[in-house]
Amino acid sequence: MMAAPVVRWPQAVEDHYRAAGYWTEETFDSLLHTSVSRFGNAPAVVDDGVVLSYRDLAAEVDALANGLARMGLQKGDCVVVQLPNCHQFVVLCFALMRLGVVPVFALPAHRQTEITAFCRFVQARAYFIADVVGGFDYRTLARAVLAEDGVAAQVVVVGEADGFVSYQSLRQDGVVPCVAQAADVACLLLSGGSTGIPKLIPRRHCDYLYNVRTSVEVCGFGRQTVYLAALPVAHNFPMACPGFFGTLMAGGTVVLAADPGPDTCLELIDRHGVTDTALVPPLVMLWLDAVAADGRLRDRLRSLRCLQVGGAKLVEEVARRITPTLGCRVQQVFGMAEGLICYTRQDDPDALVMVAQGRPMSPADEVRVVDDSDHDVADGAIGQLLTRGPYTIRGYYQLPEHNAVAFTEDGFYRTGDLVRRLPDGSLVVEGRVKDQINRGGEKISAEEVENLLLGHPSVFDVAVVAMPDKTWGELSCAFVIPRGPAPRPLDLTRHLRAQGLAAFKIPDRIQFIDAFPATGVGKTSRRALRDALQAEYFSGPEPEH
Ligand code: OOB
Protein backbone atom coordinates (compact mmCIF):
# COMPACT_ATOMS: atom_id res chain seq x y z
CA MET A 1 0.00 0.00 0.00
CA MET A 2 1.26 3.43 -0.87
CA ALA A 3 -0.02 6.47 0.95
CA ALA A 4 -0.58 9.41 -1.37
CA PRO A 5 1.70 12.13 -0.06
CA VAL A 6 0.55 15.68 -0.37
CA VAL A 7 2.34 18.94 0.24
CA ARG A 8 0.24 20.38 3.01
CA TRP A 9 -0.61 23.96 3.74
CA PRO A 10 1.23 25.34 6.82
CA GLN A 11 -0.53 24.14 9.96
CA ALA A 12 -1.66 27.62 10.99
CA VAL A 13 -3.20 28.15 7.55
CA GLU A 14 -4.98 24.79 7.67
CA ASP A 15 -6.30 25.64 11.13
CA HIS A 16 -7.58 28.94 9.81
CA TYR A 17 -9.31 27.33 6.80
CA ARG A 18 -11.06 24.92 9.17
CA ALA A 19 -11.99 27.55 11.74
CA ALA A 20 -13.37 29.78 8.98
CA GLY A 21 -15.54 26.90 7.77
CA TYR A 22 -13.92 26.58 4.34
CA TRP A 23 -12.79 23.09 5.19
CA THR A 24 -15.17 20.76 6.96
CA GLU A 25 -15.05 17.13 8.07
CA GLU A 26 -17.14 16.11 5.04
CA THR A 27 -15.96 13.64 2.43
CA PHE A 28 -17.37 12.82 -0.99
CA ASP A 29 -19.00 9.86 0.71
CA SER A 30 -20.85 12.14 3.11
CA LEU A 31 -21.89 14.33 0.16
CA LEU A 32 -23.58 11.28 -1.34
CA HIS A 33 -25.25 10.30 1.94
CA THR A 34 -26.51 13.83 2.57
CA SER A 35 -27.90 14.13 -0.95
CA VAL A 36 -29.62 10.73 -0.75
CA SER A 37 -31.32 11.69 2.48
CA ARG A 38 -32.42 15.05 1.09
CA PHE A 39 -33.30 14.17 -2.51
CA GLY A 40 -33.92 10.37 -2.35
CA ASN A 41 -36.12 9.57 -5.33
CA ALA A 42 -35.32 12.59 -7.45
CA PRO A 43 -33.41 11.83 -10.66
CA ALA A 44 -29.66 12.15 -10.06
CA VAL A 45 -27.98 10.82 -13.21
CA VAL A 46 -29.33 10.37 -16.74
CA ASP A 47 -27.23 8.43 -19.23
CA ASP A 48 -28.61 7.24 -22.55
CA GLY A 49 -31.91 5.87 -21.32
CA VAL A 50 -30.62 4.94 -17.85
CA VAL A 51 -32.04 7.13 -15.09
CA LEU A 52 -30.64 6.72 -11.60
CA SER A 53 -32.40 8.36 -8.68
CA TYR A 54 -30.24 9.47 -5.76
CA ARG A 55 -31.24 6.26 -4.01
CA ASP A 56 -30.34 4.16 -7.06
CA LEU A 57 -27.01 5.91 -7.34
CA ALA A 58 -26.21 5.16 -3.70
CA ALA A 59 -27.16 1.50 -4.19
CA GLU A 60 -24.85 1.27 -7.21
CA VAL A 61 -22.04 2.85 -5.21
CA ASP A 62 -22.60 0.37 -2.35
CA ALA A 63 -22.42 -2.59 -4.72
CA LEU A 64 -19.36 -1.38 -6.57
CA ALA A 65 -17.43 -0.27 -3.47
CA ASN A 66 -18.01 -3.70 -2.03
CA GLY A 67 -16.68 -5.37 -5.19
CA LEU A 68 -13.66 -3.10 -5.37
CA ALA A 69 -12.80 -3.93 -1.76
CA ARG A 70 -13.08 -7.66 -2.55
CA MET A 71 -10.81 -7.12 -5.52
CA GLY A 72 -8.22 -6.10 -2.95
CA LEU A 73 -8.19 -2.34 -3.39
CA GLN A 74 -7.35 -0.56 -0.16
CA LYS A 75 -7.03 2.89 1.25
CA GLY A 76 -3.97 4.66 -0.22
CA ASP A 77 -3.90 2.60 -3.42
CA CYS A 78 -3.94 4.52 -6.68
CA VAL A 79 -5.83 3.58 -9.84
CA VAL A 80 -6.13 5.10 -13.32
CA VAL A 81 -9.66 5.86 -14.56
CA GLN A 82 -10.20 6.45 -18.28
CA LEU A 83 -13.90 6.37 -19.02
CA PRO A 84 -16.16 8.30 -21.35
CA ASN A 85 -19.13 10.25 -19.98
CA CYS A 86 -21.27 7.44 -18.54
CA HIS A 87 -23.07 6.79 -15.26
CA GLN A 88 -20.45 4.20 -14.32
CA PHE A 89 -17.91 7.02 -14.10
CA VAL A 90 -19.98 8.77 -11.44
CA VAL A 91 -20.60 5.55 -9.51
CA LEU A 92 -16.91 4.65 -9.66
CA CYS A 93 -15.82 8.05 -8.33
CA PHE A 94 -17.95 7.72 -5.21
CA ALA A 95 -17.03 4.06 -4.69
CA LEU A 96 -13.27 4.70 -4.92
CA MET A 97 -13.49 7.77 -2.73
CA ARG A 98 -15.38 5.82 -0.07
CA LEU A 99 -12.53 3.29 0.06
CA GLY A 100 -9.85 5.96 0.12
CA VAL A 101 -8.57 4.60 -3.20
CA VAL A 102 -7.18 7.48 -5.24
CA PRO A 103 -8.20 7.76 -8.91
CA VAL A 104 -6.01 9.46 -11.51
CA PHE A 105 -8.49 10.97 -13.95
CA ALA A 106 -7.07 10.34 -17.43
CA LEU A 107 -8.83 11.82 -20.45
CA PRO A 108 -10.46 9.57 -23.07
CA ALA A 109 -8.03 11.05 -25.62
CA HIS A 110 -4.95 9.79 -23.78
CA ARG A 111 -3.00 6.95 -25.35
CA GLN A 112 -0.17 4.59 -24.50
CA THR A 113 2.43 7.27 -23.71
CA GLU A 114 0.26 9.05 -21.19
CA ILE A 115 -1.49 6.05 -19.62
CA THR A 116 1.77 4.13 -19.18
CA ALA A 117 3.33 7.15 -17.52
CA PHE A 118 0.40 7.53 -15.09
CA CYS A 119 0.31 3.81 -14.27
CA ARG A 120 4.03 3.79 -13.53
CA PHE A 121 4.13 7.03 -11.64
CA VAL A 122 1.42 6.08 -9.14
CA GLN A 123 2.05 2.31 -9.31
CA ALA A 124 -1.58 1.91 -10.30
CA ARG A 125 -3.31 -1.16 -8.87
CA ALA A 126 -6.12 -0.97 -11.42
CA TYR A 127 -6.96 0.70 -14.74
CA PHE A 128 -10.65 1.32 -15.57
CA ILE A 129 -11.71 1.58 -19.21
CA ALA A 130 -14.74 1.18 -21.45
CA ASP A 131 -14.63 -1.46 -24.19
CA VAL A 132 -14.99 0.50 -27.44
CA VAL A 133 -15.78 4.20 -27.76
CA GLY A 134 -16.11 6.00 -31.09
CA GLY A 135 -14.48 3.05 -32.85
CA PHE A 136 -11.44 3.03 -30.53
CA ASP A 137 -10.84 -0.20 -28.60
CA TYR A 138 -9.52 0.65 -25.15
CA ARG A 139 -8.81 -3.03 -24.44
CA THR A 140 -6.14 -2.98 -27.13
CA LEU A 141 -4.67 0.10 -25.48
CA ALA A 142 -4.79 -1.67 -22.10
CA ARG A 143 -2.90 -4.66 -23.51
CA ALA A 144 -0.20 -2.38 -24.88
CA VAL A 145 0.08 -0.58 -21.53
CA LEU A 146 0.28 -3.86 -19.59
CA ALA A 147 3.13 -5.01 -21.85
CA GLU A 148 5.25 -2.05 -20.68
CA ASP A 149 7.77 -2.41 -17.88
CA GLY A 150 6.67 -1.27 -14.48
CA VAL A 151 2.93 -1.58 -15.09
CA ALA A 152 1.02 -4.06 -12.95
CA ALA A 153 -2.59 -2.94 -12.96
CA GLN A 154 -5.73 -5.05 -13.03
CA VAL A 155 -7.83 -3.89 -15.96
CA VAL A 156 -11.55 -3.38 -15.35
CA VAL A 157 -13.81 -2.92 -18.36
CA VAL A 158 -17.23 -1.28 -18.60
CA GLY A 159 -18.87 -3.38 -21.34
CA GLU A 160 -17.37 -6.49 -22.99
CA ALA A 161 -14.44 -7.44 -20.77
CA ASP A 162 -12.71 -9.67 -23.33
CA GLY A 163 -10.62 -11.52 -20.78
CA PHE A 164 -10.23 -8.61 -18.33
CA VAL A 165 -12.36 -8.04 -15.21
CA SER A 166 -15.85 -6.86 -16.05
CA TYR A 167 -17.17 -3.83 -14.17
CA GLN A 168 -20.58 -5.47 -14.02
CA SER A 169 -19.20 -8.59 -12.34
CA LEU A 170 -17.65 -6.52 -9.57
CA ARG A 171 -21.02 -5.44 -8.20
CA GLN A 172 -21.60 -7.31 -4.93
CA ASP A 173 -24.33 -7.02 -2.34
CA GLY A 174 -23.27 -5.49 0.91
CA VAL A 175 -21.92 -2.22 2.18
CA VAL A 176 -18.36 -1.30 3.07
CA PRO A 177 -17.83 1.58 5.45
CA CYS A 178 -16.19 4.81 4.39
CA VAL A 179 -12.57 4.85 5.47
CA ALA A 180 -11.63 8.13 3.80
CA GLN A 181 -11.25 11.25 5.88
CA ALA A 182 -11.61 14.89 4.94
CA ALA A 183 -7.86 15.52 5.01
CA ASP A 184 -7.10 12.57 2.69
CA VAL A 185 -6.42 12.91 -1.01
CA ALA A 186 -9.68 12.26 -2.89
CA CYS A 187 -8.27 12.20 -6.43
CA LEU A 188 -5.37 13.15 -8.65
CA LEU A 189 -6.28 15.61 -11.43
CA LEU A 190 -4.03 16.22 -14.41
CA SER A 191 -2.22 19.44 -14.93
CA GLY A 192 -2.25 20.99 -18.40
CA GLY A 193 1.46 21.29 -17.85
CA SER A 194 4.25 22.77 -19.87
CA THR A 195 7.03 20.35 -18.97
CA GLY A 196 6.93 16.67 -19.89
CA ILE A 197 3.87 14.54 -19.33
CA PRO A 198 0.97 15.91 -17.28
CA LYS A 199 1.75 16.40 -13.62
CA LEU A 200 -0.61 15.03 -10.99
CA ILE A 201 -2.57 17.34 -8.74
CA PRO A 202 -3.63 15.96 -5.37
CA ARG A 203 -7.06 17.26 -4.41
CA ARG A 204 -8.17 16.44 -0.87
CA HIS A 205 -11.76 15.85 0.14
CA CYS A 206 -11.77 19.08 2.17
CA ASP A 207 -10.36 21.40 -0.48
CA TYR A 208 -12.11 19.85 -3.47
CA LEU A 209 -15.47 19.85 -1.67
CA TYR A 210 -14.93 23.52 -0.85
CA ASN A 211 -14.32 24.04 -4.59
CA VAL A 212 -17.61 22.28 -5.37
CA ARG A 213 -19.63 23.96 -2.61
CA THR A 214 -18.48 27.48 -3.44
CA SER A 215 -19.09 26.88 -7.16
CA VAL A 216 -22.64 25.72 -6.39
CA GLU A 217 -23.32 28.92 -4.43
CA VAL A 218 -21.78 31.28 -6.98
CA CYS A 219 -23.50 29.60 -9.94
CA GLY A 220 -26.86 29.28 -8.20
CA PHE A 221 -27.22 25.52 -8.69
CA GLY A 222 -30.17 23.90 -6.89
CA ARG A 223 -32.81 21.18 -7.15
CA GLN A 224 -34.07 22.78 -10.34
CA THR A 225 -30.68 22.45 -12.04
CA VAL A 226 -30.41 20.02 -14.93
CA TYR A 227 -26.72 20.00 -15.84
CA LEU A 228 -25.51 18.66 -19.16
CA ALA A 229 -22.01 17.17 -18.86
CA ALA A 230 -20.88 17.76 -22.45
CA LEU A 231 -17.09 18.07 -21.92
CA PRO A 232 -15.22 14.95 -20.75
CA VAL A 233 -16.17 14.52 -17.08
CA ALA A 234 -12.61 13.62 -16.10
CA HIS A 235 -11.80 17.33 -16.41
CA ASN A 236 -12.08 19.66 -13.43
CA PHE A 237 -14.50 22.03 -15.23
CA PRO A 238 -17.42 19.58 -15.80
CA MET A 239 -16.46 17.66 -12.67
CA ALA A 240 -16.42 20.28 -9.96
CA CYS A 241 -17.01 23.80 -11.29
CA PRO A 242 -19.83 23.12 -10.28
CA GLY A 243 -20.08 20.23 -12.75
CA PHE A 244 -21.59 16.88 -11.93
CA PHE A 245 -20.43 16.87 -8.31
CA GLY A 246 -21.95 20.30 -7.79
CA THR A 247 -25.23 19.25 -9.37
CA LEU A 248 -25.41 16.20 -7.11
CA MET A 249 -24.61 18.29 -4.04
CA ALA A 250 -27.42 20.71 -4.97
CA GLY A 251 -30.08 18.07 -5.68
CA GLY A 252 -30.23 18.59 -9.43
CA THR A 253 -29.97 16.14 -12.30
CA VAL A 254 -26.81 15.33 -14.28
CA VAL A 255 -27.35 14.46 -17.95
CA LEU A 256 -24.30 12.80 -19.50
CA ALA A 257 -23.55 13.47 -23.18
CA ALA A 258 -21.56 10.94 -25.17
CA ASP A 259 -20.03 13.76 -27.21
CA PRO A 260 -20.10 17.56 -26.98
CA GLY A 261 -21.24 18.31 -30.54
CA PRO A 262 -24.47 20.23 -31.18
CA ASP A 263 -26.26 17.25 -32.78
CA THR A 264 -26.05 15.18 -29.62
CA CYS A 265 -26.29 17.96 -27.08
CA LEU A 266 -29.15 20.04 -28.46
CA GLU A 267 -31.33 16.97 -28.53
CA LEU A 268 -30.43 16.11 -24.92
CA ILE A 269 -31.09 19.67 -23.78
CA ASP A 270 -34.53 19.55 -25.36
CA ARG A 271 -35.40 16.08 -24.09
CA HIS A 272 -34.27 16.57 -20.50
CA GLY A 273 -34.93 20.28 -19.97
CA VAL A 274 -31.26 21.06 -19.39
CA THR A 275 -30.71 24.38 -17.60
CA ASP A 276 -26.91 24.63 -17.43
CA THR A 277 -23.89 23.36 -19.31
CA ALA A 278 -20.20 24.09 -19.85
CA LEU A 279 -18.17 24.32 -23.07
CA VAL A 280 -14.77 25.37 -24.36
CA PRO A 281 -14.73 28.19 -26.97
CA PRO A 282 -14.34 26.08 -30.16
CA LEU A 283 -17.45 24.12 -29.19
CA VAL A 284 -19.35 27.33 -28.52
CA MET A 285 -18.56 28.35 -32.10
CA LEU A 286 -19.77 25.01 -33.39
CA TRP A 287 -23.06 25.34 -31.47
CA LEU A 288 -23.49 28.95 -32.62
CA ASP A 289 -22.96 27.99 -36.25
CA ALA A 290 -25.37 25.06 -36.00
CA VAL A 291 -28.15 27.22 -34.55
CA ALA A 292 -27.42 30.13 -36.90
CA ALA A 293 -27.71 27.75 -39.86
CA ASP A 294 -31.03 26.30 -38.72
CA GLY A 295 -33.13 28.65 -36.61
CA ARG A 296 -35.51 25.86 -35.60
CA LEU A 297 -32.76 24.40 -33.45
CA ARG A 298 -33.09 27.34 -31.11
CA ASP A 299 -36.37 25.87 -29.86
CA ARG A 300 -34.43 22.97 -28.46
CA LEU A 301 -32.56 25.34 -26.17
CA ARG A 302 -35.64 26.82 -24.48
CA SER A 303 -34.76 25.43 -21.05
CA LEU A 304 -31.09 26.49 -21.15
CA ARG A 305 -30.47 29.14 -18.53
CA CYS A 306 -26.72 29.54 -18.57
CA LEU A 307 -23.78 28.52 -20.73
CA GLN A 308 -20.45 28.42 -18.91
CA VAL A 309 -17.44 28.99 -21.16
CA GLY A 310 -13.84 28.44 -20.12
CA GLY A 311 -10.65 26.48 -20.61
CA ALA A 312 -9.35 28.92 -23.20
CA LYS A 313 -9.95 32.57 -23.99
CA LEU A 314 -13.44 33.43 -25.20
CA VAL A 315 -13.11 36.14 -27.83
CA GLU A 316 -15.44 39.09 -27.22
CA GLU A 317 -17.04 38.84 -30.69
CA VAL A 318 -18.01 35.24 -30.01
CA ALA A 319 -19.20 36.04 -26.47
CA ARG A 320 -21.54 38.66 -27.93
CA ARG A 321 -23.22 36.16 -30.24
CA ILE A 322 -24.17 33.72 -27.49
CA THR A 323 -27.25 35.27 -25.90
CA PRO A 324 -28.85 36.46 -29.16
CA THR A 325 -28.26 33.12 -30.88
CA LEU A 326 -28.70 30.54 -28.13
CA GLY A 327 -31.06 32.52 -25.91
CA CYS A 328 -29.19 31.87 -22.64
CA ARG A 329 -26.89 33.76 -20.28
CA VAL A 330 -23.11 33.47 -20.57
CA GLN A 331 -20.78 32.84 -17.67
CA GLN A 332 -17.04 33.08 -18.26
CA VAL A 333 -14.94 30.66 -16.25
CA PHE A 334 -11.19 30.95 -15.88
CA GLY A 335 -9.89 28.06 -13.87
CA MET A 336 -7.17 25.51 -13.47
CA ALA A 337 -6.95 21.99 -12.12
CA GLU A 338 -4.41 23.26 -9.57
CA GLY A 339 -7.16 25.26 -7.88
CA LEU A 340 -8.19 28.87 -8.47
CA ILE A 341 -11.54 29.26 -10.21
CA CYS A 342 -12.83 32.64 -11.42
CA TYR A 343 -16.43 33.18 -12.48
CA THR A 344 -18.32 36.12 -13.88
CA ARG A 345 -21.41 36.56 -11.66
CA GLN A 346 -25.08 36.38 -12.57
CA ASP A 347 -25.59 40.05 -11.72
CA ASP A 348 -22.44 41.36 -13.42
CA PRO A 349 -23.18 43.94 -16.13
CA ASP A 350 -23.12 42.55 -19.65
CA ALA A 351 -20.25 44.81 -20.62
CA LEU A 352 -18.06 43.06 -18.02
CA VAL A 353 -19.20 39.52 -18.81
CA MET A 354 -18.25 39.99 -22.46
CA VAL A 355 -14.65 40.97 -21.76
CA ALA A 356 -13.57 39.56 -18.40
CA GLN A 357 -12.83 35.98 -17.43
CA GLY A 358 -14.43 36.43 -14.01
CA ARG A 359 -13.14 37.02 -10.52
CA PRO A 360 -11.98 34.52 -7.90
CA MET A 361 -14.90 32.62 -6.41
CA SER A 362 -13.74 32.67 -2.79
CA PRO A 363 -13.08 35.63 -0.51
CA ALA A 364 -10.10 33.61 0.72
CA ASP A 365 -8.47 33.40 -2.73
CA GLU A 366 -5.29 35.46 -2.78
CA VAL A 367 -4.21 36.81 -6.13
CA ARG A 368 -1.04 38.65 -7.11
CA VAL A 369 -0.17 40.05 -10.53
CA VAL A 370 3.60 40.41 -10.77
CA ASP A 371 6.46 41.27 -13.12
CA ASP A 372 9.42 39.01 -13.93
CA SER A 373 11.02 39.82 -10.56
CA ASP A 374 7.87 38.94 -8.62
CA HIS A 375 7.07 42.58 -7.86
CA ASP A 376 3.41 43.55 -7.96
CA VAL A 377 2.41 45.53 -11.02
CA ALA A 378 -0.15 48.35 -10.85
CA ASP A 379 -3.81 47.43 -11.24
CA GLY A 380 -4.67 47.43 -14.92
CA ALA A 381 -1.14 46.47 -16.01
CA ILE A 382 -0.37 43.05 -17.44
CA GLY A 383 1.60 40.66 -15.26
CA GLN A 384 1.95 37.04 -14.26
CA LEU A 385 -0.79 35.61 -12.10
CA LEU A 386 0.21 34.06 -8.77
CA THR A 387 -2.41 32.58 -6.47
CA ARG A 388 -2.94 30.72 -3.24
CA GLY A 389 -5.98 29.88 -1.17
CA PRO A 390 -8.12 27.17 0.43
CA TYR A 391 -8.48 25.09 -2.72
CA THR A 392 -5.24 25.84 -4.58
CA ILE A 393 -2.61 23.16 -4.09
CA ARG A 394 0.74 23.86 -2.50
CA GLY A 395 2.55 21.22 -4.53
CA TYR A 396 2.20 18.57 -7.22
CA TYR A 397 2.21 14.88 -6.38
CA GLN A 398 5.76 13.69 -5.73
CA LEU A 399 7.64 16.33 -7.73
CA PRO A 400 9.71 18.26 -5.18
CA GLU A 401 12.10 19.71 -7.76
CA HIS A 402 9.34 20.98 -9.96
CA ASN A 403 7.44 22.32 -6.95
CA ALA A 404 10.42 24.48 -6.08
CA VAL A 405 9.91 26.45 -9.31
CA ALA A 406 6.14 26.15 -9.75
CA PHE A 407 5.41 27.72 -6.33
CA THR A 408 6.86 30.74 -4.58
CA GLU A 409 8.52 30.26 -1.22
CA ASP A 410 5.40 31.52 0.49
CA GLY A 411 3.17 29.06 -1.33
CA PHE A 412 1.74 30.97 -4.27
CA TYR A 413 1.17 28.85 -7.38
CA ARG A 414 2.78 30.31 -10.50
CA THR A 415 -0.06 29.89 -12.99
CA GLY A 416 2.07 30.91 -16.00
CA ASP A 417 -0.87 33.04 -17.17
CA LEU A 418 -0.55 36.71 -18.06
CA VAL A 419 -3.50 38.70 -16.75
CA ARG A 420 -4.75 42.21 -16.15
CA ARG A 421 -6.76 42.94 -13.01
CA LEU A 422 -9.71 45.31 -13.32
CA PRO A 423 -10.70 47.60 -10.41
CA ASP A 424 -13.48 45.21 -9.28
CA GLY A 425 -11.01 42.32 -9.05
CA SER A 426 -12.05 40.71 -12.34
CA LEU A 427 -9.24 39.21 -14.38
CA VAL A 428 -8.69 39.51 -18.11
CA VAL A 429 -6.43 36.80 -19.51
CA GLU A 430 -3.90 38.39 -21.87
CA GLY A 431 -1.57 35.53 -22.68
CA ARG A 432 0.83 33.12 -21.10
CA VAL A 433 4.47 32.71 -20.16
CA LYS A 434 4.44 28.91 -19.86
CA ASP A 435 5.58 26.83 -22.85
CA GLN A 436 2.19 25.37 -23.48
CA ILE A 437 -0.22 25.35 -26.38
CA ASN A 438 -3.89 25.81 -25.50
CA ARG A 439 -5.64 24.07 -28.38
CA GLY A 440 -9.20 25.12 -27.74
CA GLY A 441 -8.96 24.17 -24.07
CA GLU A 442 -6.81 21.07 -24.55
CA LYS A 443 -3.40 21.77 -23.14
CA ILE A 444 -0.23 20.58 -24.86
CA SER A 445 3.16 20.70 -23.22
CA ALA A 446 5.67 21.86 -25.84
CA GLU A 447 8.41 19.91 -24.11
CA GLU A 448 6.55 16.61 -24.15
CA VAL A 449 6.05 16.70 -27.92
CA GLU A 450 9.58 18.01 -28.53
CA ASN A 451 11.12 15.15 -26.56
CA LEU A 452 9.27 12.57 -28.61
CA LEU A 453 10.19 14.25 -31.90
CA LEU A 454 13.85 14.35 -30.85
CA GLY A 455 13.68 10.56 -30.76
CA HIS A 456 13.26 10.48 -34.56
CA PRO A 457 16.55 9.87 -36.40
CA SER A 458 15.92 12.66 -38.91
CA VAL A 459 15.28 15.32 -36.27
CA PHE A 460 18.26 17.35 -35.15
CA ASP A 461 16.37 19.90 -33.07
CA VAL A 462 12.78 20.99 -32.61
CA ALA A 463 10.63 23.68 -31.01
CA VAL A 464 6.86 23.34 -30.67
CA VAL A 465 4.95 26.61 -30.38
CA ALA A 466 1.41 27.98 -30.61
CA MET A 467 0.05 29.15 -33.94
CA PRO A 468 -3.02 31.42 -33.97
CA ASP A 469 -6.24 29.95 -35.33
CA LYS A 470 -9.69 31.45 -35.68
CA THR A 471 -11.60 28.42 -34.43
CA TRP A 472 -9.24 26.79 -31.97
CA GLY A 473 -7.61 29.91 -30.62
CA GLU A 474 -4.31 28.12 -31.00
CA LEU A 475 -2.99 25.15 -32.95
CA SER A 476 0.46 23.62 -32.55
CA CYS A 477 3.33 24.07 -34.96
CA ALA A 478 6.59 22.11 -34.74
CA PHE A 479 9.65 23.89 -36.15
CA VAL A 480 12.12 21.17 -37.01
CA ILE A 481 15.81 21.38 -37.93
CA PRO A 482 16.37 18.15 -39.88
CA ARG A 483 19.42 15.96 -39.52
CA GLY A 484 20.40 15.44 -43.15
CA PRO A 485 17.63 15.52 -45.76
CA ALA A 486 14.28 16.65 -44.33
CA PRO A 487 11.85 13.78 -43.65
CA ARG A 488 8.24 14.05 -44.79
CA PRO A 489 5.98 15.70 -42.20
CA LEU A 490 3.90 12.52 -42.36
CA ASP A 491 6.91 10.47 -41.19
CA LEU A 492 7.10 12.61 -38.07
CA THR A 493 3.41 12.51 -37.25
CA ARG A 494 3.44 8.73 -37.79
CA HIS A 495 6.40 8.49 -35.44
CA LEU A 496 4.41 10.33 -32.76
CA ARG A 497 1.32 8.22 -33.27
CA ALA A 498 3.37 5.02 -33.16
CA GLN A 499 4.58 6.03 -29.71
CA GLY A 500 0.99 6.31 -28.57
CA LEU A 501 0.69 10.06 -28.12
CA ALA A 502 -2.83 11.47 -27.71
CA ALA A 503 -4.06 12.71 -31.09
CA PHE A 504 -4.67 16.30 -29.95
CA LYS A 505 -0.94 16.65 -29.23
CA ILE A 506 0.18 15.74 -32.77
CA PRO A 507 1.44 19.02 -34.32
CA ASP A 508 -1.09 20.60 -36.65
CA ARG A 509 1.77 21.82 -38.79
CA ILE A 510 5.40 20.86 -39.24
CA GLN A 511 7.77 23.46 -40.61
CA PHE A 512 11.37 22.69 -41.52
CA ILE A 513 13.91 25.36 -40.76
CA ASP A 514 17.72 25.67 -41.01
CA ALA A 515 18.34 27.32 -37.65
CA PHE A 516 16.30 28.71 -34.77
CA PRO A 517 16.23 32.39 -33.98
CA ALA A 518 18.12 32.88 -30.73
CA THR A 519 17.50 35.00 -27.68
CA GLY A 520 20.15 37.32 -26.30
CA VAL A 521 21.65 34.49 -24.28
CA GLY A 522 21.60 32.07 -27.18
CA LYS A 523 18.51 30.05 -26.22
CA THR A 524 15.95 29.21 -28.88
CA SER A 525 13.57 32.14 -29.08
CA ARG A 526 10.11 30.65 -29.01
CA ARG A 527 8.75 34.14 -29.04
CA ALA A 528 10.40 34.86 -32.42
CA LEU A 529 8.93 31.63 -33.80
CA ARG A 530 5.47 32.49 -32.46
CA ASP A 531 5.77 36.02 -33.80
CA ALA A 532 6.59 34.66 -37.26
CA LEU A 533 3.42 32.55 -37.18
CA GLN A 534 1.41 35.52 -35.94
CA ALA A 535 2.73 37.73 -38.73
CA GLU A 536 1.84 35.10 -41.31
CA TYR A 537 -1.63 34.69 -39.81
CA PHE A 538 -2.40 38.38 -39.93
CA SER A 539 -0.88 38.95 -43.34
CA GLY A 540 -2.19 36.39 -45.60
CA PRO A 541 -3.65 33.17 -46.77
CA GLU A 542 -4.64 30.45 -44.32
CA PRO A 543 -1.59 28.46 -43.31
CA GLU A 544 -1.80 24.86 -44.44
CA HIS A 545 -2.05 22.28 -41.67
C1 OOB B 1 -9.12 24.60 -17.07
O1 OOB B 1 -8.17 23.91 -16.37
P1 OOB B 1 -6.79 23.33 -16.93
O2 OOB B 1 -6.05 22.86 -15.76
O3 OOB B 1 -7.07 22.38 -18.06
O4 OOB B 1 -6.03 24.55 -17.62
C2 OOB B 1 -5.72 25.72 -16.91
C3 OOB B 1 -5.21 26.78 -17.85
C4 OOB B 1 -5.09 28.15 -17.22
O5 OOB B 1 -3.90 28.29 -16.50
C5 OOB B 1 -5.16 29.02 -18.46
O6 OOB B 1 -3.91 29.02 -19.11
C6 OOB B 1 -6.15 28.34 -19.34
O7 OOB B 1 -6.13 26.97 -18.93
N1 OOB B 1 -7.53 28.84 -19.17
C7 OOB B 1 -8.01 29.97 -19.75
C8 OOB B 1 -9.37 30.07 -19.35
N2 OOB B 1 -9.65 29.01 -18.56
C9 OOB B 1 -8.52 28.28 -18.46
N3 OOB B 1 -7.42 30.90 -20.54
C10 OOB B 1 -8.20 31.94 -20.95
N4 OOB B 1 -9.51 32.09 -20.61
C11 OOB B 1 -10.12 31.20 -19.81
N5 OOB B 1 -11.43 31.35 -19.48
O8 OOB B 1 -8.95 24.93 -18.22
C12 OOB B 1 -10.37 24.90 -16.32
C13 OOB B 1 -10.57 24.38 -15.06
C14 OOB B 1 -11.74 24.67 -14.37
C15 OOB B 1 -12.70 25.46 -14.95
C16 OOB B 1 -12.49 25.97 -16.22
C17 OOB B 1 -11.33 25.70 -16.91
Side-chain angles (χ1 to χ4, degrees), residues 246-469:
T247 307
L248 295 175
M249 180 184 272
T253 304
V254 178
V255 178
L256 294 155
D259 77 85
D263 289 351
T264 303
C265 288
L266 267 50
E267 207 261 320
L268 288 172
I269 292 173
D270 189 20
R271 179 140 45 105
H272 300 291
V274 166
T275 58
D276 295 79
T277 190
L279 294 177
V280 291
L283 285 167
V284 174
M285 288 161 82
L286 214 58
W287 287 35
L288 286 171
D289 287 351
V291 176
D294 179 358
R296 285 168 308 177
L297 290 178
R298 196 179 148 151
D299 269 4
R300 300 201 166 167
L301 295 169
R302 268 176 317 227
S303 56
L304 195 62
R305 182 189 72 109
C306 179
L307 175 61
Q308 298 183 296
V309 187
K313 175 100 175 204
L314 177 64
V315 180
E316 184 182 348
E317 291 68 45
V318 177
R320 291 202 178 278
R321 287 173 61 200
I322 296 176
T323 302
T325 311
L326 305 181
C328 61
R329 274 199 307 110
V330 190
Q331 179 182 47
Q332 294 218 39
V333 186
F334 164 47
M336 53 209 72
E338 285 81 356
L340 181 70
I341 305 292
C342 302
Y343 293 111
T344 56
R345 309 299 206 264
Q346 300 191 39
D347 49 5
D348 278 347
D350 242 25
L352 182 66
V353 176
M354 294 301 120
V355 300
Q357 277 65 59
R359 58 177 194 277
M361 68 170 167
S362 163
D365 282 319
E366 297 172 70
V367 158
R368 289 182 62 202
V369 184
V370 302
D371 63 19
D372 290 346
S373 329
D374 282 356
H375 295 124
D376 293 291
V377 301
D379 256 8
I382 297 176
Q384 297 183 33
L385 174 67
L386 309 183
T387 185
R388 66 180 184 190
Y391 62 99
T392 297
I393 55 160
R394 293 292 182 122
Y396 291 101
Y397 178 79
Q398 291 186 345
L399 290 175
E401 281 118 56
H402 183 74
N403 288 339
V405 290
F407 296 83
T408 64
E409 251 167 42
D410 54 354
F412 279 85
Y413 167 56
R414 297 183 186 277
T415 66
D417 291 313
L418 288 172
V419 303
R420 195 155 51 82
R421 185 161 42 185
L422 304 180
D424 77 327
S426 292
L427 299 177
V428 178
V429 179
E430 297 284 2
R432 184 172 65 231
V433 291
K434 51 193 171 190
D435 288 333
Q436 186 186 73
I437 295 99
N438 188 338
R439 194 177 183 274
E442 291 191 299
K443 315 301 185 313
I444 304 166
S445 145
E447 189 190 289
E448 181 184 11
V449 183
E450 288 165 1
N451 285 340
L452 290 175
L453 280 170
L454 283 170
H456 190 280
S458 303
V459 174
F460 175 72
D461 203 357
V462 55
V464 176
V465 298
M467 164 170 82
D469 181 82

Side-chain angles (χ1 to χ4, degrees), residues 91 244 390 411:
V91 174
F244 74 82

